[in-house]
Amino acid sequence: MLNLILFGPPGSGKGTQATRLKERYQLLHISTGDLLREEKAKGTVLGLEAKKFMDAGELVPDAVVIGMIESKLDEYADKVNGIIFDGFPRTVAQAEALDDLLNAKNTCIAKVLFLQVEEEELVKRILERAKTSGRADDADEATVRRRIVEYENKTAPVAEYYQQFDIVTKVAGQGSIEMITEALAAQIDVLI
Ligand code: AMP
């Protein structure tokens, strides 16, 4: 399996790029944000619990997202070429849990592609996206900034965690969508 993590702050283009890369490399795209929004929309117990955190711009508890990933892996790991993770892992505990889950399936993360975007550009992009995303957490600038603080405090250490295995590559996340896809693809091509 070719398993990749698309890593970076909110608004860095993970979702946009993951959608393009999954087509190009025939990978399963797993976005915990999308999975949580589906649960919210269906009004499940999990969705209602997650809503409180999501609307406040905070991370949903680790156990909730790890459980979702575990069931996706059980369902798909032996059916796909590989997985592109988008928005997961977002804490070191999630990264450790992911390693254990992948180990149990005799696989691992091949590469963490880390999108580099300046903070003011992130805020600008998310507020622009709010016009079409319908996401409450995109529309309010204070919530957007809260998400960036959560990223700095809890998620940025995940890059350091993977650096110990020497699998992190930084990629410029500003420029045209096509150029960024090509820069990411160049990194993936050397793995296959
Ligand atoms: P995203 O669509 O990736 O921007 O995620 C939207 C929101 O969902 C985040 O602000 C969090 O509240 C929640 N979320 C998504 N993925 C995770 C995760 N891996 N861990 C904790 N919370 C998450």
Side-chain angles (χ1 to χ4, degrees), residues 5-186:
I5 295 173
L6 213 44
F7 190 78
S12 57
K14 301 184 297 293
T16 302
Q17 296 297 337
T19 303
R20 295 168 65 87
L21 294 170
K22 78 164 180 199
E23 300 287 340
R24 186 149 167 172
Y25 295 99
Q26 298 296 301
L27 302 172
L28 174 69
H29 173 197
I30 299 184
S31 155
T32 42
D34 287 349
L35 293 174
L36 288 165
R37 279 185 290 277
E38 274 169 33
E39 296 288 334
K40 237 176 94 171
K42 284 191 278 186
T44 63
V45 174
L46 190 157
L48 293 176
E49 174 65 15
K51 181 183 182 340
K52 294 183 283 191
F53 297 96
M54 295 170 80
D55 290 353
E58 290 168 13
L59 294 188
V60 172
D62 285 337
V64 174
V65 279
I66 293 167
M68 286 190 331
I69 292 288
E70 185 169 13
S71 59
K72 285 282 166 198
L73 287 177
D74 284 343
E75 193 176 350
Y76 292 108
D78 56 356
K79 299 188 182 75
V80 296
N81 294 328
I83 302 173
I84 184 157
F85 292 96
D86 152 16
F88 180 88
R90 261 181 158 98
T91 63
V92 171
Q94 291 178 20
E96 288 169 346
L98 178 61
D99 279 353
D100 290 346
L101 291 169
L102 292 175
N103 274 339
K105 309 272 180 209
N106 293 313
T107 187
C108 63
I109 294 295
K111 183 67 92 183
V112 178
L113 295 162
F114 186 174
L115 288 166
Q116 309 287 302
V117 179
E118 286 161 18
E119 179 162 339
E120 287 314 305
E121 170 73 12
L122 299 173
V123 176
K124 208 176 97 191
R125 284 186 189 179
I126 296 174
L127 293 175
E128 185 59 32
R129 180 173 73 187
K131 294 177 185 164
T132 51
S133 71
R135 285 174 54 173
D137 63 341
D138 281 353
D140 173 53
E141 184 169 338
T143 308
V144 172
R145 292 196 183 272
R146 175 87 192 112
R147 286 161 62 195
I148 295 172
V149 170
E150 282 282 87
Y151 168 82
E152 294 296 345
N153 290 339
K154 298 178 184 165
T155 307
V158 173
E160 285 153 39
Y161 170 81
Y162 285 113
Q163 257 148 17
Q164 67 179 311
F165 308 113
D166 237 355
I167 55 169
V168 180
T169 301
K170 293 181 178 173
V171 175
Q174 288 179 240
S176 74
I177 290 174
E178 292 76 14
M179 268 172 47
I180 298 164
T181 306
E182 291 313 314
L184 292 166

